[in-house]
Amino acid sequence: MANGMSDAWELLNGKVSVPSELRTAEWSRVPQWIRERQFYSAGVAQANILANFRNEMALISNGASSIEQSRKRIEQFLDSVGYQPEAGQEGTIKDLRSMRRIQVMLRTNVRLLQGWAQKERGLKTLRSSPAWELIRLENRKTHRAWVMRWIRAGGRLYGGRMIALKDDGIWQRLGNGDKDSLGVDYPPFAWGSGMGWRAIGFNECKALGLLEGWTPPAPKPLSSPNETLQTKPRIVEPVMRKALADRMLGLAEWQGDTFVFTDPNGTRPMSAAKLDAVWQRGVTETFHRDTPDGNDQGLFQRHALKLWVEDHTSFERDDSMKPPPGRLDVFDDLLRLFERIEPLAATVPVFRGMAFKAKKTFDAMIARLESLMVYEPLANKPAESWSIAASGARKYAAPGRFKLTLICEKSYGAKDISPLVRSLADEIRNPDPAHPLLTDGEVIFLQGAMFKVTRIERGKITTEGGEVTVYVEQL
């Protein structure tokens, strides 16, 4: 399955079906983050018909059906359940059995899923291709005035081309500006538009003047459509409430009268200790089928963390981490895990120890810190490990003749993952010798974190060794 359709299947698989009589204009007033978590079709209030539409969308998304094959099956299904349009709507877009309605519904939903997946993938390549160009992908007998829509939304033309940075607010305005708009910030933007995106590379963006004053944000993991999913069932009997929670295993829990989806492989924010408790309950067997190594009970983020603990240095996107169809890759699993962990209080100090064997490399590092008064972690890592304990930092600096200790006195992004790391202590197969201790209170800063140097304390430094302590605050 191609990446775009795989990501589209992932989104569709996480949606909740919502039968409703709402029309397109009414749905457009529902916030985008809610609509992205729901599967609906304008004016479809019958659950069985909506379920049929969704099943056909799933077949298209995973490559098992074409739009034309699904259209014929939908027609047959509507006939089998005795569907009849309202009087006067026969053959119109409001007639679920009309060829126009079925094709528009299927094509638009496929394009929405693909557009969402393209946006998510595109945000991971901001440095190499920072912008999108709005282009026509499908011909239409009558073209809507997209250049006028673009200008009305605040867009700028570059030689007649509609180009803007990927994180520009114009994409949301473009998806909200007209009666036929879909209320999303990705293609197709409007019903039956035939419009799409083409990525614009770094050099072309620079030549167009798009990058003046622009700094690419840190990469984000694929968002979870169910991050905020919760419900309030009308269940008051304690026995029934417990039975429902037990049936869901680690997937949902009661918080007062609200039944909350824990999102064990997703992005719902929580502390590491809370997530460890979720993991300890496991998940239903439905999630076990494509688990890496078949030994993590469907807990993909837990598996990714084990790989991280075993060897930080090898954690990169490569063939060994490619997912089966419909699954994220392990790198994304780790990013989703690190992103969701709630940060420590800003006043809690954290420590990092660094070891240098060569004085030349050590001196260059100190000179850079003194010159720029900024510390920036390596950009090729998903995160950088620190410690909540000063003793842990000293242990990591110990192997080198020249030692550098970083002390971050103020931060907003330090995330304590030590409860999760400790829970893996008995399962680590090949611990990284450069990170040998699982109990040192590991704290991570995500890629893109930067620190202001507030002071530097030099110890005695000779040709044989030395030590420097650098105090920083997160910018």
Side-chain angles (χ1 to χ4, degrees):
M1 189 188 306
N3 282 344
M5 294 307 290
S6 176
D7 290 343
W9 184 93
E10 182 76 23
L11 174 61
L12 180 63
N13 193 47
K15 285 177 175 279
V16 176
S17 294
V18 182
S20 170
E21 295 180 351
L22 293 179
R23 307 305 305 181
T24 300
E26 295 168 313
W27 271 115
S28 68
R29 293 195 288 270
V30 176
Q32 178 176 332
W33 67 269
I34 294 179
R35 281 183 283 108
E36 286 181 344
R37 204 176 66 207
Q38 298 174 340
F39 182 81
Y40 63 90
S41 186
V44 179
Q46 302 95 322
N48 60 337
I49 294 178
L50 190 66
N52 179 261
F53 286 175
R54 179 178 177 142
N55 289 340
E56 292 300 331
M57 286 300 307
L59 291 173
I60 296 171
S61 296
N62 65 26
S65 177
S66 68
I67 289 179
E68 182 59 25
Q69 289 169 336
S70 289
R71 183 187 66 80
K72 291 179 180 179
R73 284 195 296 270
I74 289 174
E75 286 181 341
Q76 293 169 358
F77 174 79
L78 292 174
D79 288 339
S80 71
V81 297
Y83 166 78
Q84 292 294 330
E86 293 184 18
Q89 295 183 356
E90 299 88 346
T92 70
I93 194 70
K94 294 183 179 181
D95 180 356
L96 302 183
R97 197 171 48 193
S98 71
M99 182 178 296
R100 182 187 175 199
R101 171 59 185 265
I102 295 176
Q103 287 186 323
V104 167
M105 185 272 296
L106 290 175
R107 290 184 185 279
T108 299
N109 276 283
V110 167
R111 296 292 179 263
L112 278 170
L113 291 171
Q114 292 174 333
W116 175 86
Q118 185 181 11
K119 182 187 81 167
E120 291 290 342
R121 292 196 314 275
L123 293 177
K124 296 176 185 176
T125 58
L126 283 172
R127 293 179 184 274
S128 60
S129 55
W132 297 118
E133 179 181 3
L134 184 67
I135 61 173
R136 175 158 296 284
L137 296 180
E138 299 175 352
N139 287 325
R140 294 288 184 268
K141 291 181 179 180
T142 301
H143 287 185
R144 277 165 277 190
W146 279 97
V147 170
M148 291 304 300
R149 291 190 182 206
W150 178 262
I151 294 173
R152 197 164 60 241
R156 178 181 173 185
L157 295 175
Y158 294 85
R161 299 162 65 192
M162 296 174 282
I163 300 173
L165 292 172
K166 290 179 178 178
D167 56 358
D168 196 298
I170 189 175
W171 304 116
Q172 187 66 69
R173 295 192 297 273
L174 199 64
N176 286 337
D178 295 86
K179 291 182 179 180
D180 58 359
S181 296
L182 292 164
V184 295
D185 57 356
Y186 47 82
F189 297 109
W191 283 100
S193 73
M195 303 300 287
W197 271 335
R198 184 175 76 86
I200 303 298
F202 179 89
N203 290 337
E204 186 174 359
C205 287
K206 188 174 181 180
L208 292 171
L210 280 165
L211 303 184
E212 295 179 9
W214 178 77
T215 301
K220 296 287 185 181
L222 193 71
S223 60
S224 167
N226 293 308
E227 180 179 307
T228 57
L229 180 60
Q230 61 187 43
T231 186
K232 288 190 175 183
R234 295 179 181 178
I235 302 175
V236 295
E237 298 84 356
V239 174
M240 294 294 292
R241 288 162 65 100
K242 182 179 183 303
L244 178 59
D246 291 344
R247 179 76 176 241
M248 293 297 292
L249 288 178
L251 290 178
E253 64 182 10
W254 288 100
Q255 294 181 9
D257 291 331
T258 305
F259 202 48
V260 178
F261 183 66
T262 57
D263 209 16
N265 290 313
T267 51
R268 180 184 284 275
M270 61 183 69
S271 68
K274 171 63 178 175
L275 185 56
D276 182 46
V278 169
W279 286 356
Q280 292 299 327
R281 293 197 295 271
V283 293
T284 61
E285 292 185 3
T286 305
F287 292 84
H288 296 191
R289 292 191 302 272
D290 57 350
T291 305
D293 295 345
N295 61 3
D296 257 337
Q297 297 81 47
L299 296 170
F300 304 114
Q301 290 181 1
R302 191 174 191 272
H303 176 79
L305 183 62
K306 281 201 293 188
L307 295 180
W308 167 262
V309 174
E310 288 172 353
D311 187 358
H312 289 200
T313 60
S314 67
F315 215 92
E316 300 174 356
R317 295 183 189 274
D318 59 26
D319 290 341
S320 67
M321 290 185 177
K322 284 186 177 178
R327 277 281 299 118
L328 304 173
D329 61 29
V330 181
F331 195 94
D332 254 328
D333 284 325
L334 188 74
L335 280 181
R336 284 155 73 94
L337 168 61
F338 286 168
E339 281 276 354
R340 73 185 303 178
I341 301 299
E342 294 173 340
L344 291 164
T347 55
V348 176
V350 292
F351 309 85
R352 176 170 170 80
M354 303 172 68
F356 297 82
K357 294 181 179 180
K359 187 174 186 299
K360 181 178 180 181
T361 307
F362 178 69
D363 288 343
M365 179 69 173
I366 302 306
R368 178 177 176 80
L369 291 172
E370 290 178 330
S371 172
L372 300 178
M373 295 302 285
V374 169
Y375 170 70
E376 186 175 3
L378 293 174
N380 63 343
K381 303 294 181 184
E384 183 175 77
S385 286
W386 291 55
S387 175
I388 203 168
S391 58
R394 286 194 294 270
K395 290 172 184 175
Y396 292 127
R401 293 187 300 141
F402 300 92
K403 303 172 177 56
L404 171 62
T405 300
L406 296 166
I407 302 177
C408 183
E409 298 178 300
K410 293 181 181 180
S411 70
Y412 57 85
K415 302 190 176 192
D416 181 8
I417 65 171
S418 58
L420 298 174
V421 173
R422 284 193 293 270
S423 72
L424 298 169
D426 296 332
E427 303 177 41
I428 303 304
R429 295 169 295 186
N430 301 297
D432 180 0
H435 302 84
L437 302 170
L438 299 177
T439 58
D440 281 336
E442 185 172 0
V443 171
I444 57 102
F445 284 98
L446 292 175
Q447 185 185 80
M450 293 185 66
F451 304 85
K452 175 181 68 176
V453 175
T454 57
R455 68 184 188 277
I456 299 176
E457 295 180 356
R458 286 175 170 266
K460 183 179 180 181
I461 301 175
T462 68
T463 56
E464 299 301 319
E467 185 170 354
V468 171
T469 301
V470 178
Y471 292 84
V472 299
E473 296 178 357
Q474 188 176 5
L475 291 170

